[in-house]
Amino acid sequence: MNNIPTKEEILEWISQNPTQTAKRDIARAFGIKGAARIDLKRLLKELETEGKLQKRSKTYRDPDTLPPVTIVQVTGPSSDGDLYVRPMEWTGAGDPPRILFIPRKGDPALGAGERILARLTAVPSDDHAFEARLIRRIGTNPQKIIGVFRVSAEGGRIVPIDKGADKDWLVPAGAVNDAKDGELVEAEQLGGGGGRMGLPRAQIVQRLGDPTAPRAVSLIAIHQHGIPDAFPDNVVAEADAAEPASMKGRTDLRDMPLITIDPVDARDRDDACLAHADDDPKNPGGHIVWVAIADVAYYVTPGSALDREARLRGNSTYFPDRVVPMLPDILSGDLCSLHEGVDRACIAVRMVLDADGAKIGHSFVRGMMRSVASLNYAEVQAAMDGETTDRTAPLMDDIIRPLYAAYEATKTARAVRQPLDLDLPERRIQLSDDGKVTSVNYYERFDAHRLIEEFMILANVAAAEELVTRKRPLLFRVHEEPSPEKLDALREVAKASGLTLAKGQVLQTRHLNQLLRQAEGTDQDELINISTLRSMTQAYYGATNFGHFGLALRNYAHFTSPIRRYADLLVHRALITAHGWGKDGLSVDDIERLDETGKQISDAERRSMAAERDTTDRYLAAYLSERVGNEFSGRISGIQRFGAFVKLDETGADGLIPIRTLGREFFHHDADANTLRGSDSGLTLGIGLRVTVRLAEAVPVTGGLMLELLSVDGNALPRTPQRGRSSFKGRKAGPAKSKAAKLKKKIERKRR
């Protein structure tokens, strides 16, 4: 008779023989034959039910351990530069064990999100439990889903929060990861084909909490776009250990009346400035402008944990309710920030301007400064307009008026250079203490804003020219000219608006400015500004200098914001090396990786912009959700085959008029002319048309707005046979029964 092993003996065997865990292997090990295999099968089933074993295909393993060969996913480098991976399947209690990837000579470079088949070795380490070595690459990052989880008998579903999502995702029972009904979750696509009803399958990898909680909007964007928002312990430890810079090797600028001018809600202060008349008789009517920038390079040195984390983040990301900083707050908000009345390390540039505001000379110093005042734009402008306060009155003659005098001179030089002069006001979302939107308006632009912008541009030019002259490597801020295709599209928009953009010549910014001036003050003003912006290429960071088209500058680099941009930090290091100011300049590794770093931080910048844009859309949808059924005026801002986008005048929010709601007639989409034209009515929708719409739906969790078209250029829609259930013509005010409405209902349903 066969001796049936105990459950403990089976578990011990599997633990000691992780590569021989099939039922056949276990039977052979214990000499189990014939009918006794039925008893073994029963024991294995009981262990599986008890959660002590997990069946994978025809093998068994302990769910609290990892098999020696398994599929793992690269999570990206840590701030120390080490590469970690995580198991794709983990059903044990608690978080999965930490796995350090050990590359061998000849292994390919692995990127975050990539999947590999790896051989694991358990190691006695406080930092990680396993080490992984590459067997073979499998694939790249699976699709990520952010959505609201809904429990079902089979496991559950995820309702995505992306505006463009048209399907739910099925979550098998074993991939729920303890998520609760109604929670916001992050999930990844599972392989193996579609699930029930052809829906794709996903596994939940992280629970993000209540999607309706105050200030959850920016949290959604942070996770959706993969923005690092928690500093590793070693990065925080380095920041906490930082001490204020000393005067060693620095020029003493503390007697100079430098001031900072920032938004009223500024979280950090990178730059300070000062201006006065030039007393050099060779420069009559000229000005001296000083721009002092926080010396972040002193605190964030090449190869440090702080440096690796800053490079990984690329820049700070700003939301209406929070900031995800590039550097820990003790640096960004304290030691590096140029606060009033305290000594702060800086790198400063002294610029000489002639009477027409052209820069005719500059020089750099590494110094120590002490700001005499931390002011905001509104109070500085009010002071210049005659409304001084106790803070600004003592500063008028020696500080504020000389700044404006130098700025007035730069206007002449700017008019000669003719940078692109777009007028696109920035929206400002005001939140209450509990995170709800109280108002949406536009930031007011003062000469105080333009003054600081102009001086920062001059300082950036000086930094680029200095390093080019000294033949030092650096990252330029590159903005290439528009493509011929985009220029042709802009000409079509201009022609349709009764305006002209000259053709057959080398494009310069002055040509675009002529178009903008033609539209200024007309109904086409905003349309031409938006269309001109859309014709532009995206600026980026690169080690090769192709100039900055938009600013009409040959040499341009970012120097003025090292607290929040990694590119500026590298420019500071290049200046330190070029002037021999210390050993904290550009490292050999910095130089070798300039192109790679440029691409990485350009991608990070776009990631932040997308997250900030998505957050704004969701806040606007939340703000407008209480006004569903109301009528709004706006202008068509985009045309697609599936409908027209409208920018609402009041808030600047963008909503969609689906083409299916415009009647039963066929609408022809002309991609070249950017129009939709009705085959029966002749109704033509094009970019720039004034429209009146009714808000049909606003879904805060996706940021989506659905609109009903009521009139075009003041004319009611022509009557045509309608398709679908009903038309917008004559429909009562209220939300449409569309997929977005159902989505909203599902998301806002109370937990059972």
Side-chain angles (χ1 to χ4, degrees):
M1 183 176 176
N2 294 303
N3 294 318
I4 301 299
T6 65
K7 292 179 180 179
E8 289 72 20
E9 288 172 333
I10 293 174
L11 292 174
E12 184 178 359
W13 163 262
I14 290 174
S15 176
Q16 294 176 356
N17 301 272
T19 61
Q20 302 177 51
T21 58
K23 185 173 69 171
R24 180 181 54 193
D25 296 325
I26 300 169
R28 185 183 300 119
F30 290 98
I32 301 173
K33 299 178 182 179
R37 288 175 177 268
I38 298 174
D39 293 327
L40 175 62
K41 183 178 180 180
R42 175 181 52 78
L43 282 177
L44 293 173
K45 188 68 176 177
E46 289 177 3
L47 287 169
E48 185 182 352
T49 303
E50 293 167 7
K52 295 176 180 178
L53 283 184
Q54 182 186 36
K55 189 174 183 180
R56 300 177 62 194
S57 185
K58 296 182 180 181
T59 66
Y60 291 86
R61 68 177 178 87
D62 184 345
D64 287 314
T65 65
L66 289 172
V69 175
T70 191
I71 297 175
V72 296
Q73 183 180 43
V74 179
T75 58
S78 69
S79 55
D80 291 324
D82 294 325
L83 201 63
Y84 284 89
V85 298
R86 65 178 179 83
M88 290 305 301
E89 291 188 37
W90 174 251
T91 57
D95 295 330
R98 203 168 193 221
I99 308 171
L100 175 67
F101 178 73
I102 307 294
R104 288 173 291 201
K105 187 176 181 180
D107 279 354
L110 298 176
E114 193 162 0
R115 295 182 177 197
I116 62 172
L117 184 66
R119 186 174 300 281
L120 304 185
T121 304
V123 293
S125 170
D126 293 335
D127 184 59
H128 54 274
F130 290 89
E131 290 180 350
R133 290 188 181 273
L134 177 69
I135 296 177
R136 63 180 173 86
R137 301 168 84 169
I138 293 177
T140 54
N141 192 16
Q143 183 176 349
K144 179 188 290 186
I145 308 104
I146 304 290
V148 176
F149 177 65
R150 289 299 179 191
V151 172
S152 69
E154 302 85 7
R157 287 195 183 200
I158 296 173
V159 182
I161 60 175
D162 291 315
K163 280 186 284 189
D166 59 355
K167 287 186 178 180
D168 290 356
W169 291 72
L170 287 178
V171 182
V176 171
N177 195 18
D178 296 328
K180 308 300 182 187
D181 187 69
E183 276 190 323
L184 188 69
V185 296
E186 178 184 335
E188 290 179 352
Q189 182 176 6
L190 280 173
R196 189 166 55 85
M197 299 174 63
L199 295 178
R201 301 186 313 138
Q203 62 178 354
I204 293 172
V205 296
Q206 191 171 1
R207 298 162 58 192
L208 305 178
D210 183 357
T212 64
R215 303 183 187 275
V217 174
S218 54
L219 182 65
I220 291 172
I222 288 168
H223 282 273
Q224 188 174 18
H225 293 278
I227 296 174
D229 64 333
F231 287 105
D233 291 343
N234 59 342
V235 174
V236 174
E238 274 192 8
D240 288 344
E243 296 182 357
S246 68
M247 274 297 303
K248 184 179 179 181
R250 297 184 179 277
T251 301
D252 194 346
L253 308 177
R254 289 176 292 184
D255 289 337
M256 295 173 57
L258 289 153
I259 65 169
T260 62
I261 306 175
D262 295 285
V264 68
D265 56 353
R267 296 172 167 99
D268 47 55
R269 302 182 187 279
D270 289 272
D271 53 90
C273 57
L274 166 67
H276 59 79
D278 188 2
D279 57 8
D280 186 344
K282 296 179 182 179
N283 186 28
H287 301 267
I288 303 296
V289 174
W290 282 85
V291 172
I293 307 298
D295 188 358
V296 176
Y298 174 82
Y299 298 98
V300 183
T301 54
S304 64
L306 279 165
D307 179 45
R308 291 191 294 270
E309 184 69 16
R311 184 177 184 270
L312 180 68
R313 295 179 177 225
N315 50 260
S316 299
T317 306
Y318 295 87
F319 300 105
D321 65 325
R322 73 181 77 202
V323 61
V324 179
M326 186 179 79
L327 302 172
D329 186 63
I330 194 171
L331 295 180
S332 60
D334 187 11
L335 286 178
C336 294
S337 200
L338 307 180
H339 294 307
E340 178 179 338
V342 294
D343 292 358
R344 286 291 181 261
C346 66
I347 293 178
V349 57
R350 178 184 184 269
M351 296 177 288
V352 182
L353 310 184
D354 65 18
D356 292 329
K359 183 173 70 66
I360 58 176
H362 67 255
S363 58
F364 284 85
V365 297
R366 196 175 198 183
M368 185 72 72
M369 62 159 284
R370 184 185 297 154
S371 171
V372 299
S374 294
L375 305 178
N376 65 65
Y377 293 117
E379 66 179 328
V380 170
Q381 190 63 53
M384 274 302 293
D385 293 341
E387 299 178 14
T388 58
T389 64
D390 291 341
R391 280 169 52 81
T392 56
L395 307 175
M396 291 302 300
D397 291 338
D398 295 332
I399 299 176
I400 294 178
R401 286 196 180 96
L403 282 171
Y404 274 79
Y407 167 62
E408 286 297 321
T410 66
K411 288 182 179 179
T412 303
R414 182 183 174 91
V416 172
R417 193 176 91 241
Q418 284 222 32
L420 190 60
D421 192 19
L422 292 171
D423 182 20
L424 295 168
E426 183 182 359
R427 282 174 298 195
R428 182 181 185 185
I429 295 176
Q430 296 272 39
L431 302 179
S432 63
D433 291 340
D434 61 357
K436 292 184 178 180
V437 181
T438 58
S439 65
V440 178
N441 45 47
Y442 291 93
Y443 283 101
E444 192 171 0
R445 292 271 296 168
F446 302 114
D447 273 349
H449 290 90
R450 300 181 182 92
L451 176 155
I452 294 298
E453 287 174 2
E454 200 63 31
F455 291 166
M456 295 306 114
I457 289 171
L458 285 170
N460 287 336
V461 171
E465 290 178 348
E466 181 82 356
L467 293 171
V468 168
T469 300
R470 292 175 178 265
K471 298 181 178 179
R472 298 289 177 173
L474 75 149
L475 277 181
F476 294 92
R477 182 63 168 176
V478 180
H479 184 224
E480 299 184 60
E481 65 182 36
S483 68
E485 294 77 16
K486 290 200 171 184
L487 282 178
D488 287 342
L490 178 59
R491 287 191 181 94
E492 288 296 328
V493 173
K495 183 179 178 181
S497 302
L499 309 174
T500 57
L501 174 61
K503 193 174 183 179
Q505 56 186 321
V506 176
L507 182 74
Q508 297 179 7
T509 47
R510 61 185 176 87
H511 300 134
L512 296 173
N513 286 339
Q514 288 169 3
L515 173 63
L516 293 168
R517 281 194 290 273
Q518 291 177 56
E520 189 175 357
T522 71
D523 285 344
Q524 311 305 318
D525 195 347
E526 184 179 7
L527 165 66
I528 296 300
N529 272 271
I530 292 174
S531 299
T532 302
L533 176 65
R534 288 177 175 171
S535 73
M536 295 295 107
T537 60
Q538 282 191 304
Y540 63 92
Y541 296 104
T544 304
N545 185 15
F546 293 110
H548 198 294
F549 175 80
L551 292 174
L553 292 168
R554 179 175 299 174
N555 299 303
Y556 195 67
H558 275 164
F559 158 73
T560 55
S561 296
I563 290 177
R564 61 186 179 89
R565 291 189 305 227
Y566 192 76
D568 304 55
L569 175 58
L570 290 182
V571 169
H572 278 228
R573 287 180 185 165
L575 290 168
I576 291 168
T577 300
H579 293 89
W581 286 334
K583 297 181 180 180
D584 48 355
L586 274 183
S587 68
V588 173
D589 188 53
D590 283 337
I591 296 171
E592 290 178 347
R593 297 200 301 172
L594 266 184
D595 283 316
E596 177 190 334
T597 299
K599 182 181 185 310
Q600 180 175 323
I601 62 179
S602 296
D603 290 344
E605 178 184 46
R606 292 185 177 93
R607 176 183 66 187
S608 292
M609 290 170 63
E612 292 166 357
R613 183 175 60 248
D614 286 353
T615 299
T616 297
D617 287 346
R618 290 190 175 100
Y619 272 127
L620 288 172
Y623 179 64
L624 292 170
S625 63
E626 298 178 358
R627 301 171 66 184
V628 169
N630 288 9
E631 294 182 10
F632 297 88
S633 62
R635 191 183 294 275
I636 294 178
S637 59
I639 294 290
Q640 295 292 335
R641 187 177 300 276
F642 52 81
F645 288 96
V646 174
K647 183 176 289 294
L648 303 182
D649 294 334
E650 181 182 334
T651 61
D654 287 297
L656 173 67
I657 303 171
I659 196 170
R660 67 177 183 274
T661 64
L662 294 174
R664 192 178 295 276
E665 65 178 321
F666 175 78
F667 273 81
H668 173 69
H669 175 232
D670 187 333
D672 294 330
N674 265 321
T675 60
L676 287 169
R677 181 179 178 84
S679 58
D680 299 330
S681 65
L683 173 66
T684 302
L685 302 180
I687 293 177
L689 281 178
R690 299 284 320 167
V691 294
T692 303
V693 295
R694 178 181 294 123
L695 179 60
E697 299 168 285
V699 186
V701 76
T702 67
L705 300 178
M706 289 290 193
L707 306 174
E708 303 174 357
L709 182 61
L710 301 180
S711 67
V712 178
D713 274 345
N715 299 313
L717 294 188
R719 292 181 177 274
T720 61
Q722 301 298 324
R723 73 169 106 185
R725 291 183 297 273
S726 61
S727 77
F728 288 139
K729 184 73 176 175
R731 182 189 296 175
K732 294 180 180 179
K737 291 278 188 177
S738 70
K739 183 180 186 300
K742 295 176 183 177
L743 174 62
K744 178 182 177 184
K745 185 176 180 180
K746 285 170 67 177
I747 291 172
E748 295 178 348
R749 186 192 307 147
K750 293 183 179 179
R751 297 180 182 178
R752 295 184 180 91

